[in-house]
Amino acid sequence: DAGVIQSPRHEVTEMGQEVTLRCKPISGHNSLFWYRQTMMRGLELLIYFNNNVPIDDSGMPEDRFSAKMPNASFSTLKIQPSEPRDSAVYFCASTPRESVYNEQFFGPGTRLTVL
Amino acid sequence: DQQVKQNSPSLSVQEGRISILNCDYTNSMFDYFLWYKKYPAEGPTFLISISSIKDKNEDGRFTVFLNKSAKHLSLHIVPSQPGDSAVYFCAASERNNDMRFGAGTRLTVKP
């Protein structure tokens, strides 16, 4: 199994530009999570989906952030317009359907730099 | 609102000694606790977990202790090895899959 796949691995953009981060969860997993890691706040949960439906987006910092999961094998996190304070590492994680203990499998992350 | 707190941003330990990483939580509804380990340029990977019905879980060199009354858990690594150098995240969850992470503790094990 390839694990959780995220693209791009690195993104450098200028303030005001639109940024789209992509995630492919592990096949068969039914929950998907987007996190942001910063030095100050550690790992923050932004939003999570169960069976492609957004369940809790209370962690999304502002209206500039949006996430979609059009099918079980793909999700996007979009920032529009981007700002320098959005610079962070963004992780996607998925959970298997049969998991009782909510162990999450993380992708390698996307390092976003907004200049 | 940080429901899971790791108050030590870093810890340095000599190889062969014990590493103790601490974590506190505020939400009494959390019933499952996990530790994740993260190397640079990689995503966090699951290390060890404990259910709220237990107070200790051991897996090789790694042991997690849970003190529900104090809302505190700790991860013990003994003996510590240089390959254990990483960032360790404490996480807590209710059964609805909503997992909350601490800010992480960077462990450095010196040879």
Side-chain angles (χ1 to χ4, degrees), chain A:
Chain A
D1 196 327
V4 175
I5 299 173
Q6 290 187 248
S7 64
R9 292 295 309 274
H10 302 272
E11 177 80 27
V12 181
T13 190
E14 291 186 344
M15 182 175 64
Q17 297 296 308
E18 176 181 306
V19 174
T20 299
L21 311 181
R22 296 173 177 79
C23 176
K24 182 181 188 308
I26 293 173
S27 177
H29 285 196
N30 71 325
S31 295
L32 182 141
F33 305 79
W34 281 102
Y35 291 91
R36 177 172 68 176
Q37 183 191 11
T38 62
M39 290 293 291
M40 294 299 294
R41 300 176 68 86
L43 266 175
E44 298 177 273
L45 176 66
L46 300 177
I47 184 171
Y48 77 94
F49 297 83
N50 276 351
N51 297 314
N52 312 339
V53 177
I55 301 301
D56 182 358
D57 65 353
S58 60
M60 297 285 262
E62 298 173 29
D63 291 345
R64 298 183 296 106
F65 286 69
S66 62
K68 294 182 180 179
M69 192 165 185
N71 56 62
S73 59
F74 184 66
S75 177
T76 59
L77 178 67
K78 184 178 293 186
I79 308 172
Q80 180 184 20
S82 58
E83 296 182 3
R85 59 192 168 120
D86 301 331
S87 298
V89 181
Y90 291 80
F91 288 102
C92 175
S94 67
T95 302
R97 186 181 303 273
E98 67 274 15
S99 172
V100 176
Y101 296 120
N102 303 333
E103 176 192 337
Q104 296 180 9
F105 295 79
F106 283 79
T110 295
R111 180 174 294 277
L112 173 65
T113 303
V114 183
L115 303 174

